[in-house]
Amino acid sequence: MARTFSVDTRVAPTSLLARVRKAARENGAILVGDERSGRFSHELVKGEYRMVGQTVMVTITDKHWLLPWPVVEVRLRELVR
């Protein structure tokens, strides 16, 4: 089941993308995309993202059943803010 999260940010898209790319690299994830949209994958979670103004819309399309949704949301919000 897919779930979409919306997170407001004050970070410039270029800086945010650099931060997320670094986190992906450090955690064994693959990130493909630019400041506007893209997709990511990891052994525990897969999804896509898009920027709409100062809001990041992240849709988790697949996640490991042992990974609870609240943990996904907290980690996402920590990363984007």
Side-chain angles (χ1 to χ4, degrees):
M1 171 193 279
R3 189 173 288 188
T4 299
F5 298 94
S6 173
V7 183
D8 292 330
T9 184
R10 293 184 180 195
V11 180
T14 303
S15 298
L16 182 57
L17 184 60
R19 181 192 313 164
V20 172
R21 281 191 193 282
K22 181 180 180 210
R25 191 172 44 252
E26 291 172 351
N27 290 285
I30 297 170
L31 177 70
V32 177
D34 58 24
E35 291 89 356
R36 290 168 289 168
S37 64
R39 65 185 185 283
F40 56 89
S41 64
H42 182 271
E43 61 187 18
L44 297 177
V45 66
K46 294 179 184 175
E48 51 198 39
Y49 69 90
R50 62 190 162 96
M51 285 288 296
V52 180
Q54 287 300 119
T55 302
V56 182
M57 306 290 290
V58 178
T59 300
I60 304 299
T61 56
D62 188 34
K63 74 167 192 63
H64 194 280
W65 65 273
L66 281 175
L67 183 61
W69 281 112
V71 171
V72 172
E73 184 173 7
V74 165
R75 296 290 296 172
L76 174 64
R77 290 188 184 282
E78 288 173 352
L79 185 61
V80 173
R81 293 206 171 177

Coordinates of all heavy atoms in Angstrom, one line a residue:
M1 N 0.8 -1.2 0.0 CA 0.0 0.0 0.0 C 0.9 1.2 0.0 O 1.8 1.4 0.8 CB -0.9 0.0 1.2 CG -1.6 1.3 1.4 SD -2.4 1.5 3.0 CE -3.9 0.6 2.8
A2 N 0.7 2.1 -0.9 CA 1.4 3.4 -1.0 C 0.9 4.4 0.0 O -0.3 4.4 0.3 CB 1.4 3.9 -2.4
R3 N 1.8 5.3 0.4 CA 1.4 6.3 1.3 C 2.2 7.6 1.0 O 3.4 7.5 0.7 CB 1.7 5.9 2.8 CG 1.1 6.9 3.8 CD 1.2 6.4 5.2 NE 0.3 5.3 5.4 CZ 0.0 4.8 6.6 NH1 0.7 5.3 7.7 NH2 -0.8 3.8 6.8
T4 N 1.5 8.7 0.9 CA 2.2 10.0 0.6 C 2.3 10.9 1.8 O 1.3 11.0 2.6 CB 1.4 10.7 -0.5 OG1 1.4 9.9 -1.7 CG2 2.1 12.0 -0.9
F5 N 3.5 11.5 1.9 CA 3.8 12.4 3.0 C 4.1 13.8 2.4 O 4.8 13.9 1.4 CB 4.9 12.0 3.9 CG 4.7 10.6 4.5 CD1 5.2 9.5 3.9 CD2 4.1 10.6 5.8 CE1 4.9 8.2 4.5 CE2 3.9 9.3 6.4 CZ 4.3 8.2 5.8
S6 N 3.6 14.8 3.1 CA 3.9 16.2 2.6 C 4.6 16.9 3.7 O 4.2 16.9 4.9 CB 2.5 16.9 2.4 OG 2.7 18.2 2.1
V7 N 5.8 17.4 3.4 CA 6.6 18.1 4.4 C 7.1 19.5 3.9 O 7.7 19.6 2.8 CB 7.9 17.2 4.7 CG1 8.7 17.9 5.8 CG2 7.5 15.8 5.1
D8 N 6.8 20.5 4.7 CA 7.2 21.8 4.3 C 8.6 22.0 4.7 O 9.1 21.5 5.8 CB 6.3 22.9 5.0 CG 4.9 22.9 4.5 OD1 4.7 22.6 3.3 OD2 4.0 23.2 5.3
T9 N 9.4 22.7 3.9 CA 10.8 23.0 4.2 C 11.2 24.4 3.9 O 10.5 25.0 3.0 CB 11.7 22.0 3.4 OG1 13.1 22.2 3.8 CG2 11.6 22.2 1.9
R10 N 12.2 24.9 4.6 CA 12.7 26.2 4.3 C 14.1 26.1 3.6 O 14.7 27.1 3.2 CB 12.9 27.0 5.5 CG 11.5 27.4 6.1 CD 11.7 28.2 7.3 NE 10.3 28.5 7.9 CZ 10.1 29.4 8.7 NH1 11.1 30.2 9.2 NH2 8.9 29.6 9.2
V11 N 14.5 24.9 3.4 CA 15.8 24.6 2.8 C 15.7 24.8 1.2 O 14.7 24.3 0.6 CB 16.3 23.2 3.1 CG1 17.7 22.9 2.5 CG2 16.4 23.0 4.6
A12 N 16.7 25.4 0.6 CA 16.7 25.6 -0.8 C 16.7 24.2 -1.5 O 17.4 23.3 -1.0 CB 17.9 26.4 -1.3
P13 N 16.0 24.0 -2.6 CA 16.0 22.7 -3.3 C 17.4 22.1 -3.6 O 17.6 20.9 -3.4 CB 15.2 23.0 -4.6 CG 14.3 24.1 -4.2 CD 15.1 25.0 -3.3
T14 N 18.3 23.0 -4.0 CA 19.7 22.5 -4.3 C 20.3 21.9 -3.0 O 21.0 20.9 -3.0 CB 20.5 23.6 -4.9 OG1 19.8 24.0 -6.1 CG2 21.9 23.1 -5.3
S15 N 20.2 22.7 -1.9 CA 20.8 22.2 -0.7 C 20.2 21.0 -0.1 O 20.8 20.1 0.4 CB 20.7 23.3 0.4 OG 21.5 24.5 0.0
L16 N 18.8 20.9 -0.2 CA 18.1 19.8 0.2 C 18.5 18.5 -0.6 O 18.7 17.5 0.0 CB 16.6 20.0 0.1 CG 15.7 18.9 0.6 CD1 16.0 18.6 2.1 CD2 14.2 19.4 0.4
L17 N 18.6 18.7 -1.9 CA 19.0 17.5 -2.7 C 20.4 17.1 -2.4 O 20.6 15.9 -2.3 CB 18.9 17.9 -4.2 CG 19.2 16.7 -5.2 CD1 18.2 15.6 -5.0 CD2 19.1 17.2 -6.6
A18 N 21.3 18.0 -2.1 CA 22.7 17.6 -1.7 C 22.6 16.8 -0.4 O 23.3 15.8 -0.3 CB 23.5 18.8 -1.6
R19 N 21.9 17.3 0.6 CA 21.7 16.6 1.8 C 21.2 15.2 1.7 O 21.6 14.2 2.3 CB 20.9 17.4 2.8 CG 20.8 16.8 4.2 CD 19.7 17.4 5.0 NE 19.7 18.8 5.1 CZ 18.7 19.5 5.6 NH1 17.6 19.0 6.0 NH2 18.8 20.9 5.6
V20 N 20.1 15.1 0.9 CA 19.4 13.8 0.7 C 20.3 12.8 -0.1 O 20.4 11.7 0.2 CB 18.1 14.0 0.0 CG1 17.5 12.7 -0.4 CG2 17.1 14.8 0.9
R21 N 21.0 13.3 -1.1 CA 22.0 12.5 -1.8 C 23.1 11.9 -0.9 O 23.4 10.7 -1.0 CB 22.7 13.2 -2.9 CG 21.8 13.4 -4.2 CD 22.7 14.0 -5.3 NE 21.8 14.4 -6.4 CZ 21.2 13.7 -7.3 NH1 21.4 12.4 -7.2 NH2 20.5 14.2 -8.3
K22 N 23.6 12.7 0.0 CA 24.6 12.3 1.0 C 24.0 11.2 1.9 O 24.6 10.2 2.1 CB 25.1 13.5 1.8 CG 26.2 13.1 2.7 CD 26.7 14.3 3.5 CE 27.7 13.8 4.5 NZ 27.8 14.6 5.7
A23 N 22.8 11.5 2.4 CA 22.2 10.5 3.3 C 21.9 9.2 2.6 O 22.1 8.1 3.1 CB 20.9 11.1 3.9
A24 N 21.5 9.3 1.3 CA 21.2 8.1 0.5 C 22.5 7.3 0.4 O 22.6 6.0 0.6 CB 20.6 8.4 -0.8
R25 N 23.6 7.9 0.0 CA 24.9 7.3 -0.3 C 25.4 6.6 1.0 O 25.8 5.5 1.0 CB 25.9 8.3 -0.8 CG 27.2 7.8 -1.3 CD 28.0 8.9 -2.0 NE 28.1 10.1 -1.2 CZ 27.5 11.3 -1.6 NH1 26.8 11.3 -2.7 NH2 27.7 12.4 -0.9
E26 N 25.3 7.3 2.2 CA 25.7 6.8 3.4 C 24.9 5.6 3.9 O 25.4 4.8 4.8 CB 25.7 7.9 4.5 CG 26.8 9.0 4.3 CD 26.6 10.2 5.2 OE1 25.6 10.2 5.9 OE2 27.6 11.0 5.2
N27 N 23.7 5.5 3.5 CA 22.8 4.4 3.9 C 22.5 3.3 2.9 O 21.6 2.5 3.1 CB 21.5 5.0 4.4 CG 21.7 5.8 5.7 OD1 21.9 5.2 6.8 ND2 21.8 7.1 5.6
G28 N 23.3 3.3 1.8 CA 23.1 2.3 0.8 C 21.9 2.4 0.0 O 21.4 1.4 -0.5
A29 N 21.4 3.6 -0.2 CA 20.2 3.8 -1.0 C 20.6 4.3 -2.4 O 21.6 4.9 -2.5 CB 19.2 4.7 -0.3
I30 N 19.7 4.2 -3.3 CA 19.9 4.8 -4.6 C 18.9 5.9 -4.8 O 17.7 5.8 -4.5 CB 19.7 3.7 -5.7 CG1 20.7 2.6 -5.6 CG2 19.7 4.3 -7.1 CD1 20.4 1.4 -6.4
L31 N 19.4 7.1 -5.3 CA 18.5 8.2 -5.5 C 18.8 8.7 -6.9 O 19.9 9.0 -7.3 CB 18.9 9.3 -4.5 CG 18.1 10.7 -4.7 CD1 16.7 10.5 -4.3 CD2 18.8 11.7 -3.8
V32 N 17.7 8.8 -7.7 CA 17.8 9.3 -9.1 C 16.8 10.4 -9.2 O 15.6 10.2 -8.9 CB 17.4 8.1 -10.1 CG1 17.4 8.6 -11.5 CG2 18.3 7.0 -9.9
G33 N 17.3 11.6 -9.6 CA 16.4 12.7 -9.8 C 17.1 14.0 -9.7 O 18.3 14.1 -9.6
D34 N 16.3 15.1 -9.7 CA 16.8 16.4 -9.5 C 16.0 17.2 -8.5 O 15.3 16.6 -7.7 CB 16.8 17.1 -10.9 CG 15.4 17.2 -11.5 OD1 14.4 17.2 -10.7 OD2 15.3 17.4 -12.7
E35 N 16.1 18.5 -8.5 CA 15.5 19.4 -7.5 C 14.0 19.3 -7.6 O 13.3 19.7 -6.7 CB 16.0 20.8 -7.6 CG 17.4 21.0 -7.2 CD 18.4 20.9 -8.3 OE1 17.9 20.5 -9.5 OE2 19.6 21.1 -8.1
R36 N 13.4 18.9 -8.7 CA 12.0 18.9 -8.9 C 11.3 17.6 -8.6 O 10.3 17.5 -8.0 CB 11.6 19.3 -10.3 CG 11.9 20.8 -10.5 CD 11.9 21.1 -12.0 NE 13.1 20.5 -12.6 CZ 13.3 20.3 -13.8 NH1 12.4 20.7 -14.7 NH2 14.4 19.8 -14.3
S37 N 12.0 16.5 -9.0 CA 11.3 15.2 -8.8 C 12.3 14.0 -9.0 O 13.4 14.2 -9.6 CB 10.1 15.0 -9.7 OG 10.6 14.9 -11.1
G38 N 12.0 12.9 -8.5 CA 12.9 11.7 -8.7 C 12.3 10.5 -7.9 O 11.2 10.5 -7.5
R39 N 13.2 9.5 -7.8 CA 12.8 8.3 -7.1 C 14.0 7.8 -6.3 O 15.1 8.2 -6.5 CB 12.3 7.2 -8.1 CG 13.3 6.7 -9.1 CD 12.7 5.8 -10.1 NE 13.7 5.2 -11.0 CZ 14.3 5.8 -12.0 NH1 14.0 7.1 -12.3 NH2 15.2 5.2 -12.7
F40 N 13.7 6.9 -5.4 CA 14.7 6.3 -4.5 C 14.4 4.9 -4.2 O 13.2 4.5 -4.3 CB 14.8 7.2 -3.2 CG 13.6 7.3 -2.4 CD1 13.2 6.4 -1.5 CD2 12.7 8.3 -2.7 CE1 12.0 6.5 -0.8 CE2 11.5 8.5 -2.0 CZ 11.1 7.5 -1.1
S41 N 15.4 4.1 -3.8 CA 15.2 2.8 -3.4 C 16.3 2.3 -2.4 O 17.4 2.8 -2.4 CB 15.2 1.8 -4.6 OG 16.4 1.8 -5.3
H42 N 15.9 1.5 -1.5 CA 16.7 0.9 -0.5 C 16.1 -0.5 -0.2 O 15.0 -0.7 -0.6 CB 16.6 1.8 0.8 CG 17.5 1.4 1.9 ND1 17.0 0.5 2.9 CD2 18.7 1.7 2.2 CE1 17.9 0.3 3.7 NE2 19.0 1.0 3.4
E43 N 16.9 -1.3 0.5 CA 16.4 -2.7 0.7 C 15.1 -2.7 1.6 O 14.3 -3.6 1.5 CB 17.4 -3.5 1.3 CG 17.9 -3.0 2.7 CD 19.1 -3.8 3.2 OE1 19.7 -4.5 2.4 OE2 19.3 -3.8 4.4
L44 N 14.8 -1.6 2.3 CA 13.7 -1.5 3.2 C 12.5 -0.7 2.7 O 11.4 -0.8 3.1 CB 14.1 -1.0 4.6 CG 15.0 -1.9 5.4 CD1 15.4 -1.2 6.7 CD2 14.5 -3.3 5.6
V45 N 12.8 0.3 1.7 CA 11.8 1.2 1.3 C 12.1 1.7 -0.1 O 13.3 1.9 -0.5 CB 11.7 2.4 2.3 CG1 13.0 3.2 2.3 CG2 10.5 3.2 2.1
K46 N 11.0 1.9 -0.9 CA 11.1 2.5 -2.2 C 10.1 3.6 -2.4 O 9.0 3.5 -1.8 CB 10.9 1.4 -3.3 CG 12.0 0.4 -3.3 CD 11.7 -0.7 -4.4 CE 12.7 -1.8 -4.3 NZ 12.5 -2.9 -5.2
G47 N 10.4 4.6 -3.2 CA 9.4 5.6 -3.4 C 9.8 6.6 -4.4 O 10.8 6.5 -5.2
E48 N 9.1 7.7 -4.4 CA 9.3 8.8 -5.3 C 9.1 10.2 -4.6 O 8.4 10.2 -3.6 CB 8.5 8.7 -6.6 CG 7.0 8.5 -6.4 CD 6.3 8.0 -7.6 OE1 6.8 7.1 -8.3 OE2 5.2 8.5 -7.8
Y49 N 9.6 11.2 -5.1 CA 9.4 12.5 -4.5 C 9.2 13.6 -5.6 O 9.6 13.4 -6.7 CB 10.6 12.9 -3.7 CG 11.9 13.2 -4.5 CD1 12.2 14.5 -4.9 CD2 12.8 12.2 -4.8 CE1 13.3 14.7 -5.7 CE2 13.9 12.4 -5.6 CZ 14.1 13.7 -6.0 OH 15.3 14.0 -6.8
R50 N 8.6 14.7 -5.1 CA 8.5 15.9 -6.0 C 8.4 17.1 -5.1 O 7.9 17.1 -4.0 CB 7.3 15.8 -6.9 CG 6.0 15.7 -6.3 CD 4.9 15.4 -7.3 NE 3.7 14.9 -6.7 CZ 2.7 15.7 -6.4 NH1 2.7 17.0 -6.7 NH2 1.7 15.2 -5.8
M51 N 9.0 18.2 -5.6 CA 8.9 19.5 -4.9 C 7.8 20.3 -5.5 O 7.7 20.4 -6.7 CB 10.2 20.3 -5.1 CG 11.4 19.7 -4.3 SD 11.3 20.1 -2.6 CE 11.3 21.9 -2.5
V52 N 7.0 20.9 -4.6 CA 5.9 21.8 -5.1 C 6.1 23.0 -4.2 O 5.7 23.1 -3.0 CB 4.5 21.1 -4.8 CG1 3.4 22.1 -5.2 CG2 4.4 19.8 -5.5
G53 N 6.7 24.0 -4.8 CA 7.1 25.2 -4.0 C 8.0 24.9 -2.9 O 9.1 24.3 -3.2
Q54 N 7.7 25.1 -1.7 CA 8.5 24.8 -0.5 C 8.0 23.5 0.2 O 8.3 23.3 1.4 CB 8.6 26.0 0.5 CG 9.4 27.2 0.0 CD 10.8 26.8 -0.3 OE1 11.3 26.9 -1.4 NE2 11.5 26.4 0.7
T55 N 7.3 22.7 -0.5 CA 6.8 21.5 0.0 C 7.3 20.3 -0.7 O 7.3 20.3 -1.9 CB 5.2 21.5 -0.1 OG1 4.7 22.6 0.6 CG2 4.6 20.2 0.6
V56 N 7.8 19.3 0.1 CA 8.3 18.1 -0.5 C 7.2 17.0 -0.4 O 6.7 16.8 0.7 CB 9.6 17.6 0.2 CG1 10.1 16.3 -0.5 CG2 10.6 18.7 0.2
M57 N 6.8 16.5 -1.5 CA 5.8 15.4 -1.5 C 6.5 14.1 -1.7 O 7.2 13.9 -2.8 CB 4.8 15.6 -2.6 CG 4.1 17.0 -2.6 SD 3.0 17.2 -1.3 CE 1.7 16.1 -1.7
V58 N 6.5 13.2 -0.8 CA 7.1 11.9 -0.9 C 6.1 10.8 -0.8 O 5.3 10.7 0.1 CB 8.2 11.7 0.3 CG1 8.8 10.3 0.2 CG2 9.2 12.8 0.3
T59 N 6.1 9.9 -1.8 CA 5.2 8.8 -1.9 C 6.1 7.5 -1.7 O 7.0 7.2 -2.5 CB 4.4 8.7 -3.2 OG1 3.7 9.9 -3.4 CG2 3.5 7.5 -3.2
I60 N 5.8 6.8 -0.6 CA 6.4 5.5 -0.4 C 5.6 4.5 -1.1 O 4.4 4.3 -0.9 CB 6.4 5.2 1.1 CG1 7.1 6.3 1.9 CG2 7.1 3.8 1.3 CD1 8.6 6.6 1.5
T61 N 6.2 3.9 -2.1 CA 5.5 2.9 -3.0 C 5.6 1.5 -2.5 O 4.8 0.6 -2.8 CB 6.0 3.0 -4.4 OG1 7.4 2.8 -4.5 CG2 5.6 4.3 -5.0
D62 N 6.7 1.2 -1.7 CA 6.9 -0.1 -1.2 C 7.8 0.0 0.1 O 8.7 0.8 0.1 CB 7.6 -1.0 -2.2 CG 7.7 -2.4 -1.9 OD1 6.8 -3.0 -1.2 OD2 8.7 -3.1 -2.2
K63 N 7.5 -0.8 1.1 CA 8.3 -0.8 2.3 C 8.3 -2.2 2.9 O 7.3 -3.0 2.7 CB 7.9 0.2 3.3 CG 6.6 -0.1 4.0 CD 6.4 0.8 5.2 CE 5.3 0.3 6.2 NZ 5.5 -1.0 6.8
H64 N 9.3 -2.6 3.6 CA 9.4 -3.8 4.3 C 8.4 -3.9 5.4 O 8.1 -2.9 6.1 CB 10.8 -4.0 4.9 CG 11.1 -5.4 5.3 ND1 10.7 -5.9 6.5 CD2 11.8 -6.4 4.7 CE1 11.1 -7.1 6.6 NE2 11.8 -7.4 5.6
W65 N 7.7 -5.0 5.5 CA 6.6 -5.2 6.5 C 7.0 -4.9 7.9 O 6.2 -4.6 8.7 CB 5.9 -6.5 6.3 CG 6.8 -7.7 6.6 CD1 7.7 -8.4 5.8 CD2 6.9 -8.3 7.9 NE1 8.3 -9.4 6.5 CE2 7.8 -9.4 7.8 CE3 6.3 -8.1 9.2 CZ2 8.2 -10.2 8.9 CZ3 6.6 -9.0 10.2 CH2 7.5 -10.0 10.1
L66 N 8.3 -5.1 8.2 CA 8.8 -4.9 9.6 C 9.0 -3.4 9.9 O 9.2 -3.1 11.1 CB 10.1 -5.7 9.9 CG 9.9 -7.2 10.2 CD1 11.3 -7.8 10.3 CD2 9.1 -7.4 11.4
L67 N 9.1 -2.6 8.9 CA 9.3 -1.2 9.1 C 8.0 -0.5 9.3 O 7.2 -0.3 8.4 CB 10.0 -0.6 7.9 CG 10.4 0.8 7.9 CD1 11.4 1.1 9.0 CD2 11.1 1.2 6.6
P68 N 7.7 0.0 10.6 CA 6.5 0.7 10.8 C 6.3 2.0 10.2 O 7.3 2.8 10.0 CB 6.4 0.9 12.4 CG 7.7 0.2 12.9 CD 8.6 -0.1 11.7
W69 N 5.1 2.4 9.8 CA 4.9 3.7 9.1 C 5.3 4.9 10.0 O 5.9 5.8 9.4 CB 3.4 3.8 8.7 CG 3.1 3.1 7.5 CD1 2.3 2.0 7.4 CD2 3.5 3.3 6.1 NE1 2.2 1.5 6.1 CE2 3.0 2.4 5.3 CE3 4.3 4.3 5.6 CZ2 3.2 2.4 3.9 CZ3 4.6 4.3 4.2 CH2 4.0 3.3 3.4
P70 N 5.1 4.9 11.3 CA 5.5 6.0 12.1 C 7.0 6.2 12.0 O 7.5 7.4 12.0 CB 5.0 5.7 13.5 CG 3.9 4.8 13.3 CD 4.2 4.0 12.1
V71 N 7.8 5.2 11.9 CA 9.2 5.3 11.8 C 9.6 5.9 10.5 O 10.5 6.8 10.4 CB 9.9 4.0 12.0 CG1 11.4 4.0 11.7 CG2 9.7 3.4 13.4
V72 N 9.0 5.5 9.4 CA 9.2 6.1 8.1 C 8.9 7.6 8.1 O 9.7 8.4 7.6 CB 8.3 5.4 7.0 CG1 8.4 6.1 5.7 CG2 8.7 3.9 6.9
E73 N 7.8 8.0 8.7 CA 7.4 9.4 8.7 C 8.4 10.2 9.5 O 8.8 11.3 9.0 CB 6.0 9.5 9.2 CG 5.6 11.0 9.2 CD 4.1 11.2 9.6 OE1 3.5 10.2 10.0 OE2 3.6 12.3 9.4
V74 N 8.8 9.7 10.6 CA 9.8 10.5 11.5 C 11.1 10.7 10.8 O 11.7 11.8 10.7 CB 10.0 9.8 12.9 CG1 11.2 10.4 13.6 CG2 8.7 10.0 13.7
R75 N 11.6 9.6 10.2 CA 12.9 9.7 9.5 C 12.8 10.6 8.3 O 13.7 11.4 8.0 CB 13.4 8.3 9.0 CG 13.6 7.3 10.2 CD 14.9 7.7 10.9 NE 16.0 7.6 10.0 CZ 17.2 8.0 10.3 NH1 17.5 8.5 11.5 NH2 18.2 7.8 9.5
L76 N 11.7 10.6 7.6 CA 11.5 11.5 6.4 C 11.5 12.9 6.9 O 12.2 13.8 6.3 CB 10.2 11.1 5.7 CG 9.8 12.0 4.6 CD1 10.8 12.0 3.5 CD2 8.4 11.6 4.1
R77 N 10.8 13.2 7.9 CA 10.7 14.6 8.4 C 12.0 15.1 8.9 O 12.4 16.3 8.7 CB 9.6 14.7 9.5 CG 8.2 14.6 8.9 CD 7.1 14.8 9.8 NE 5.8 14.6 9.2 CZ 5.2 15.3 8.4 NH1 5.7 16.5 8.0 NH2 4.0 15.0 7.9
E78 N 12.8 14.3 9.6 CA 14.1 14.6 10.0 C 15.0 15.0 8.9 O 15.8 15.9 8.9 CB 14.7 13.5 10.8 CG 14.1 13.3 12.2 CD 14.7 12.0 12.9 OE1 15.4 11.2 12.3 OE2 14.4 11.8 14.1
L79 N 14.9 14.2 7.8 CA 15.8 14.4 6.6 C 15.5 15.7 5.9 O 16.4 16.4 5.4 CB 15.6 13.2 5.7 CG 16.5 13.2 4.5 CD1 18.0 13.1 4.9 CD2 16.2 12.0 3.7
V80 N 14.2 16.0 5.8 CA 13.8 17.1 4.9 C 13.8 18.5 5.6 O 14.1 19.5 5.0 CB 12.3 16.9 4.4 CG1 11.8 18.1 3.7 CG2 12.3 15.7 3.5
R81 N 13.7 18.5 6.9 CA 13.7 19.8 7.6 C 15.0 20.4 7.8 O 16.0 20.0 7.6 CB 13.1 19.7 9.0 CG 11.6 19.3 8.8 CD 10.8 19.7 9.9 NE 9.4 19.6 9.4 CZ 8.4 19.7 10.1 NH1 8.5 20.2 11.3 NH2 7.2 19.6 9.7

